[in-house]
Amino acid sequence: MRTNKVLLIYTGGTIGMGRNIRTGALEPLDFKNLLLALPEFKQIETAVDVHPFKDPIDSSNVNPEDWKRMVKIIAHQYEEYDGFVILHGTDTMAYTASALSFMLQNLTKPVILTGSQLPMGQLRTDGKENLITSLELASTYGEDGHPMVPEVTIYFNGHLLRGNRATKCSAEEFNAFQTFNYPHVCDAGVDFVFHGHHIFRPDYSRPMQPHFEMDRHVLVFSIFPGIQEETVNHILSYPHLRGIVMRTFGSGNAPQHPWLLKALGDATKRGVVIVNVSQCEHGSVEMARYDTGLALLNVGVISGHDSTVEAAVTKLMHLLALYDDPKIIREHMSKSLCGEITV
């Protein structure tokens, strides 16, 4: 049933910042001041309720406990709203969007993250358009009674992007996010242009199932020319380590140093799940293409396909919290759970 209401969750970020006259630094504003800077807010057709975090957080400090808070807010009030908009800092927005896509299993309503590069109160802010359009998109339903985009997305600068495909690509431009391996799900110009065949479709006969826990015993490291044996051995010797996202060259290649392959093989044998993602923004890991990638496959490293680092990390955290068996986790890492990879 439609409620004609959207819940706006304010977590913090540049969009809610003001400039300290004395120091010149950006500081969080009271949320009421944020809305005073947006008189257009009153013209939005759908009703909007606001749930501000008591203490706004800089997105650089966001962690799985904050994701848990967001999931609890959405799950607790899921039936009361047509959609949800989360105001969030840009630095870790792609991580949060990816995490929520896995934590909100079988999501059937829009959850849109947005923010801005300039604070709402500044003359040239991009925050107003990002917020207003996100609220409109969150309340847009089709003739079949289903939302146009029932998944976790990021809206920025006229583009609605699948959340678990997005990466922050600029600290300067208003076009701050991109999905290099996936098309936009909607483009907002004079009209909304929805790209229906790129939108994830849930099973509306099943309820949304929230998950609250994430296992933090993961790390990300990049392969680079000159990487040292002592460094890798030190990383892999951490006794509580359960998962690694390894950023490799090109289509999933790494140096064929015997010590490196042995270290990775020993780690996989003791249950560490190692996921291979490319350092390239565009393209997919295909470890069977070259001998250097095939060698990784042979020691138990699994392909992350065309996953972003953000999606691979949060997916691994999610699966490690659900399962103890590394074999099951590897199987699920190789599947698309909610459109995060192309297989």
Side-chain angles (χ1 to χ4, degrees), residues 232-292:
V232 173
N233 287 337
H234 181 72
I235 291 171
L236 296 182
S237 66
Y238 174 56
H240 302 294
L241 183 64
R242 296 189 65 201
I244 296 173
V245 175
M246 184 172 65
R247 301 178 67 244
T248 57
F249 307 131
S251 57
N253 305 309
Q256 287 188 297
H257 303 315
W259 60 262
L260 176 60
L261 297 175
K262 182 179 185 305
L264 295 173
D266 289 345
T268 60
K269 287 176 184 176
R270 72 169 195 267
V272 178
V273 179
I274 305 177
V275 184
N276 185 354
V277 300
S278 177
Q279 295 178 25
C280 300
E281 292 178 329
H282 184 269
S284 182
V285 166
E286 299 179 45
M287 288 192 287
R289 180 181 291 183
Y290 299 103
D291 287 344
T292 48

Side-chain angles (χ1 to χ4, degrees), residues 29-72:
L29 287 172
D30 181 89
F31 193 75
K32 293 180 180 178
N33 291 331
L34 172 66
L35 296 184
L36 287 174
L38 189 64
E40 298 92 339
F41 191 80
K42 298 178 181 178
Q43 301 179 38
I44 298 171
E45 292 184 3
T46 189
V48 179
D49 291 338
V50 179
H51 185 118
F53 275 24
K54 182 179 179 181
D55 298 309
I57 50 178
D58 186 297
S59 72
S60 297
N61 294 322
V62 166
N63 61 59
E65 285 302 309
D66 298 308
W67 300 336
K68 184 176 180 178
R69 287 172 66 188
M70 296 176 207
V71 170
K72 283 188 173 182

